[in-house]
């Protein structure tokens, strides 16, 4: 048998191999094309519903275990984009048992896949505490913490982001991140040169700190403050945002934590942040100052000594909407501690922007904060209250209080409403509708300021029958304190119409003025504070003056004139009647018959006899 050359036998084998390899290569290319196309489609919201309806989850799951790393990466990226879209798709990822595969791959695959897998875990965690707990239950925390030790900053960034999304939901999940050893590694990430990594690490530390003093202390114990406080001066605005947020979340819990933040030498850098070009930096730095100011007079004084009040006042003047709120609250917290600190706010011209915000802001919670802060400024002394009065704060507060009330006239207090058998029920119901936080804080602020106000010019605009009773009683009480001891004020009170309005208010509440002063027509002002205040005011004046300014007094005078005229006409008619032996009467008095009339009557009677 003739020997066959070797190349004759190997030629068909090579051809067969090429065919087989070509089939697998084509299959691989199609898989890669499919998963890349899905990832691209998933990046657009308009495609999500169609992909979900086509059962894309079941098709992507096996591709996570593909032998080709590029396909695994693209499949994880597509799943992350889908899970990021809504909670339903995130639940589908959990229900498809995909999380254990991702966690396993985090420790085995290349850096590109690790970034994509961490992205999926973040996308699932962000929607709800339950989904975040599912991620924790899959063992992802240890794998994510391990990723923080990777050399590649992109992997660290994805892992830190996922940890932050897990921790933000509640204290238990944040504690799980702490227990997994994530805090020291996040602090190391803050020290890395990559800006995006530093931002995300600072954000994660903020998410852990916000839940409780214990968690915030865990962050402080990792020596966090010395590394993040200097970043307030970093040129990157987004990093400054996150640093201000993290420091405020730490400082808000306790005095010790706030002092630790202050010891990190945040002043004056944090004050410079109040004038930052970035709106979020300004708001977060204002929040940080607010969280420090609220704790103790010493910390509030530290802010004053650092020039912080003037900076906060400027911030409140420039900001609008919700961004104003931390600045408004800061001024209130500082003013609440002492009259000296409140005076510092006044001297920094803090009252005008608060007054302006009370009028111009539309959100009720911002108006409520303004009212509260103004009350804290004005409650200390007559001088403080006078500053508020000079800025027309009292009428503005009253306008806010009555803005949503449909009730007109004086709303009677409960005891008066009951005494008249529910006659003021509509007004009482209207007042009940005003029991919101805004109304409560505004009423309290008015009370605090009014109790220290000694200026008649400030009080008189509020002395109106239309003023709500729960404010009016404090206004009348102040007049009852001022008038007995000030002669000039008593005269001015009459000439300005104040005494007349007091009598109108008394009449509106069911009282009338007679020779005994203020007396309740139906007994409803007897024993009430309002009745006592009005009685004290009336006793400052002669009885005839009080009667003169009482409602209906002009009608009483007219009645007396009518009575006088009637008696006079009767006397004249009687004089014109012919009488035998009578003597003519030249003048008849209005009340007492003359001697001539008496003699005529006697003579007439004698003649008849």
């Amino acid at each position: 048998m003739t020997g066959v050359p070797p190349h004759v036998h190997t030629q068909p084998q090579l051809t067969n191999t090429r065919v087989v390899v070509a089939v697998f290569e084509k299959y691989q290319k199609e898989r890669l094309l499919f998963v890349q196309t899905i990832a691209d489609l998933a990046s657009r919201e308009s495609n999500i519903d169609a992909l979900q309806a086509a059962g894309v989850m079941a098709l992507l799951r096996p591709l996570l275990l593909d032998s080709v790393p590029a396909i695994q990466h693209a499949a994880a990226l597509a799943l992350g984009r889908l899970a990021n879209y809504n909670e339903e798709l995130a639940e589908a990822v959990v229900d498809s048992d995909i999380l254990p595969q991702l966690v396993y791959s985090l420790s085995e695959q290349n850096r590109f896949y690790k970034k994509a897998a961490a992205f999926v875990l973040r996308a699932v965690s962000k929607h709800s505490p339950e989904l975040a707990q599912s991620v924790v239950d899959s063992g992802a925390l240890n794998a994510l913490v391990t990723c923080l030790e990777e050399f590649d900053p992109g992997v660290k960034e994805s892992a830190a982001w996922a940890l932050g999304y897990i921790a933000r939901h509640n204290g238990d999940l944040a504690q799980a991140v702490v227990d997994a050893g994530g805090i020291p590694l996040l602090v190391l990430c803050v020290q890395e040169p990559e800006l995006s990594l530093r931002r995300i690490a600072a954000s994660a530390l903020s998410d852990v700190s916000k839940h409780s003093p214990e968690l915030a202390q865990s962050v402080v114990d990792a020596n966090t403050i010395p590394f993040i406080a200097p970043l307030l001066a970093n040129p990157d605005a987004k990093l400054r945002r996150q640093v201000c947020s993290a420091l405020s979340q730490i400082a808000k819990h306790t005095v010790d934590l706030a002092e630790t933040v202050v010891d990190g030498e945040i002043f004056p850098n944090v004050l410079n942040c109040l004038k930052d070009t970035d709106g979020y930096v300004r708001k977060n730095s204002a929040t940080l100052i607010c969280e420090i100011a609220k704790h103790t007079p010493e910390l509030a004084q530290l802010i004053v000594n650092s020039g912080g009040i003037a900076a906060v006042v400027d911030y409140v003047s420039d900001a609008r909407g919700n961004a104003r709120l931390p600045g408004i609250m800061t001024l209130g917290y500082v003013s609440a501690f002492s009259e000296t600190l409140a005076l510092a706010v006044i001297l920094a011209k803090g009252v005008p922007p608060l007054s302006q915000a009370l009028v111009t802001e539309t959100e009720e919670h911002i108006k409520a904060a303004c009212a509260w802060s103004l009350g804290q400024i004005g409650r200390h002394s007559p001088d403080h209250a006078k500053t508020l009065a000079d800025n027309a704060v009292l009428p503005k507060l009253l306008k806010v209080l009555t803005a949503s009330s449909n009730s007109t006239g004086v709303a009677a207090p409960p005891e008066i409403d009951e005494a008249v058998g529910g006659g003021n029920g509509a007004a009482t119901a209207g007042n009940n509708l005003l029991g919101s936080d805004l109304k409560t804080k505004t009423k309290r602020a008015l009370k605090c300021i009014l109790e220290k106000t000694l200026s008649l010019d400030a009080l008189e605009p509020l002395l109106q029958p239309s003023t709500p009773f729960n404010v009016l009683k404090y206004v009348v009480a102040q007049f009852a304190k001022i008038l007995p001891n000030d002669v000039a004020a008593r005269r001015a009170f009459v000439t300005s119409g104040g005494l007349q309005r007091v009598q109108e208010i008394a009449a509106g509440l069911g009282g009338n003025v007679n020779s005994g002063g203020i007396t309740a027509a139906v007994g409803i002002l007897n024993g009430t504070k309002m009745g006592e205040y009005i009685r004290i005011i009336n006793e400052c004046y002669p009885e005839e003056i009080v009667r003169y300014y009482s409602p209906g007094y002009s009608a009483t005078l007219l009645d007396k004139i009518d009575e006088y005229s009637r008696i006079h006409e009767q006397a004249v008619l009687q004089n014109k009647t012919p009488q035998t032996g009578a003597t003519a009467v030249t003048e008849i008095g209005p009340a007492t018959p003359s001697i001539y009339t008496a003699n005529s009557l006697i003579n007439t009677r004698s003649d008849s006899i």
Side-chain angles (χ1 to χ4, degrees):
M1 188 174 185
T2 307
V4 180
H7 67 274
V8 176
H9 293 288
T10 57
Q11 190 67 33
Q13 293 176 353
L14 289 173
T15 303
N16 292 339
T17 301
R18 289 194 193 99
V19 171
V20 171
V21 170
V23 171
F24 278 92
E25 286 179 349
K26 183 179 180 182
Y27 178 51
Q28 178 177 319
K29 289 178 182 178
E30 293 297 332
R31 294 199 318 276
L32 183 58
L33 178 62
F34 169 77
V35 75
Q36 287 176 338
T37 304
I38 294 297
D40 183 56
L41 291 172
S43 66
R44 294 185 287 275
E45 261 186 38
S46 56
N47 298 325
I48 299 295
D49 292 336
L51 289 172
Q52 186 178 7
V56 70
M57 287 293 180
L59 297 174
L60 289 175
R61 184 176 182 274
L63 295 177
L64 287 172
L65 300 175
D66 198 278
S67 58
V68 180
I71 294 175
Q72 292 181 353
H73 173 255
L77 184 61
L79 281 170
R81 289 174 177 173
L82 290 166
N84 193 53
Y85 177 67
N86 64 28
E87 188 172 349
E88 183 182 353
L89 287 168
E91 289 175 349
V93 170
V94 174
D95 295 339
S96 300
D97 236 7
I98 291 174
L99 294 182
Q101 295 179 27
L102 292 170
V103 172
Y104 174 77
S105 301
L106 275 174
S107 58
E108 300 292 332
Q109 296 294 335
N110 62 52
R111 59 193 176 98
F112 301 106
Y113 183 82
K114 287 179 179 179
K115 287 168 62 177
F119 170 53
V120 178
L121 295 174
R122 168 168 65 90
V124 172
S125 300
K126 83 172 200 177
H127 293 289
S128 70
E130 293 75 22
L131 287 170
Q133 187 62 53
S134 298
V135 172
V136 172
D137 294 340
S138 69
L141 283 181
N142 290 330
L144 290 170
V145 170
T146 302
C147 287
L148 291 177
E149 299 178 289
E150 288 279 335
F151 177 76
D152 183 77
V155 175
K156 292 180 181 178
E157 181 181 321
S158 296
W161 212 340
L163 289 171
Y165 270 80
I166 292 170
R168 69 173 48 181
H169 290 291
N170 57 48
D172 292 337
L173 290 168
Q175 186 63 53
V177 172
V178 173
D179 294 340
I183 301 303
L185 293 172
L186 288 171
V187 175
L188 289 174
C189 289
V190 171
Q191 303 170 56
E192 295 286 345
E194 290 79 16
L195 277 176
S196 60
L197 176 57
R198 299 168 90 180
R199 295 173 195 155
I200 293 168
S203 175
L205 291 170
S206 175
D207 289 331
V208 172
S209 302
K210 69 181 182 180
H211 297 290
S212 70
E214 293 76 21
L215 287 166
Q217 189 64 52
S218 298
V219 173
V220 170
D221 291 343
N223 204 29
T224 303
I225 304 297
F227 291 110
I228 66 172
L231 297 178
L232 288 170
N234 191 278
D236 183 68
K238 292 182 179 178
L239 179 56
R240 293 198 299 275
R241 289 182 199 173
Q242 301 303 334
V243 170
C244 287
S245 175
L247 291 172
S248 65
Q249 297 293 1
I250 293 170
K252 74 178 184 179
H253 293 291
T254 65
V255 176
D256 290 340
L257 288 169
E259 290 175 347
T260 301
V261 170
V262 171
D263 291 342
E265 299 181 356
I266 63 171
F267 294 101
N269 288 335
V270 68
L271 301 181
N272 295 333
C273 289
L274 285 174
K275 299 179 180 179
D276 200 276
T277 56
D278 185 274
Y280 290 104
V281 174
R282 294 196 299 271
K283 181 180 179 181
N284 289 354
S285 59
T287 303
L288 171 57
I289 295 171
C290 179
E291 298 295 359
I292 293 170
K294 73 181 184 181
H295 287 292
T296 64
E298 291 76 20
L299 287 171
Q301 187 66 57
L302 175 64
I303 293 171
V304 173
N305 295 342
S306 302
I309 295 302
V312 172
V313 169
D314 290 342
Y315 171 78
V316 173
S317 300
D318 296 337
R320 294 294 181 272
N322 278 320
R324 259 183 171 172
L325 189 59
I328 292 168
M329 296 298 293
T330 299
L331 298 179
Y333 283 133
V334 172
S335 301
F337 286 117
S338 71
E339 64 178 81
T340 304
L341 289 169
L343 183 60
V345 173
I346 291 173
L347 294 177
K349 297 182 171 26
V351 175
L354 289 174
S355 177
Q356 188 258 353
L358 179 70
V359 174
T360 60
E361 290 295 339
T362 56
E363 297 289 335
E364 280 201 358
H365 65 282
I366 300 176
K367 287 180 176 286
C370 291
W372 176 78
S373 294
L374 290 167
Q376 298 306 312
I377 294 171
R379 70 183 180 87
H380 293 287
S381 74
D383 291 335
H384 292 74
K386 186 178 185 304
T387 302
L388 296 185
D390 292 342
N391 284 274
V393 168
L394 291 173
K396 292 173 183 176
L397 287 169
L398 182 62
K399 184 177 179 181
V400 170
L401 183 64
T402 58
S404 58
S405 174
N406 294 323
S407 174
T408 58
V410 178
E415 61 269 22
I416 293 182
D417 189 45
E418 291 172 6
V420 296
N424 271 332
T428 303
N431 286 339
N432 290 337
L433 293 174
L434 305 181
S436 65
D437 185 55
L438 172 60
K439 299 302 176 183
T440 301
K441 284 186 169 59
T442 305
K443 184 177 75 172
R444 289 176 180 172
L446 277 167
K447 175 186 174 184
C448 292
I449 299 168
L450 287 171
E451 287 179 340
K452 297 296 181 180
T453 301
L454 300 178
S455 168
L456 294 185
D457 293 338
L459 292 169
E460 285 194 2
L462 277 66
L463 187 65
Q464 302 292 341
S466 59
T467 301
F469 184 88
N470 51 14
V471 175
L472 186 61
K473 64 182 178 182
Y474 298 112
V475 178
V476 177
Q478 288 305 105
F479 282 114
K481 292 179 186 176
I482 298 168
L483 296 177
N485 305 307
D486 191 334
V487 176
R490 290 201 291 271
R491 182 178 181 84
F493 189 61
V494 173
T495 57
S496 65
L499 182 61
Q500 181 176 345
R501 289 197 296 274
V502 168
Q503 310 314 314
E504 291 171 356
I505 289 167
L509 292 174
N512 69 309
V513 178
N514 59 19
S515 59
I518 183 71
T519 305
V522 291
I524 58 176
L525 281 179
N526 287 337
T528 66
K529 289 184 177 180
M530 179 66 92
E532 179 66 16
Y533 299 149
I534 295 175
R535 183 188 64 78
I536 292 172
I537 291 172
N538 287 344
E539 287 179 351
C540 295
Y541 298 95
E543 181 183 319
E544 57 270 22
I545 296 295
V546 175
R547 285 203 302 268
Y548 177 78
Y549 285 105
S550 299
Y553 182 67
S554 58
T556 303
L557 291 178
L558 290 173
D559 290 343
K560 287 185 177 181
I561 293 172
D562 293 341
E563 179 67 17
Y564 176 86
S565 300
R566 184 181 61 80
I567 295 173
H568 183 74
E569 290 172 358
Q570 288 178 352
V572 170
L573 290 174
Q574 188 177 28
N575 184 41
K576 289 181 178 180
T577 303
Q579 300 287 344
T580 304
T583 303
V585 180
T586 59
E587 184 176 355
I588 304 297
T592 56
S594 69
I595 187 65
Y596 301 107
T597 306
N599 290 337
S600 297
L601 291 174
I602 293 171
N603 293 336
T604 302
R605 184 176 181 186
S606 300
D607 292 341
S608 62
I609 295 172

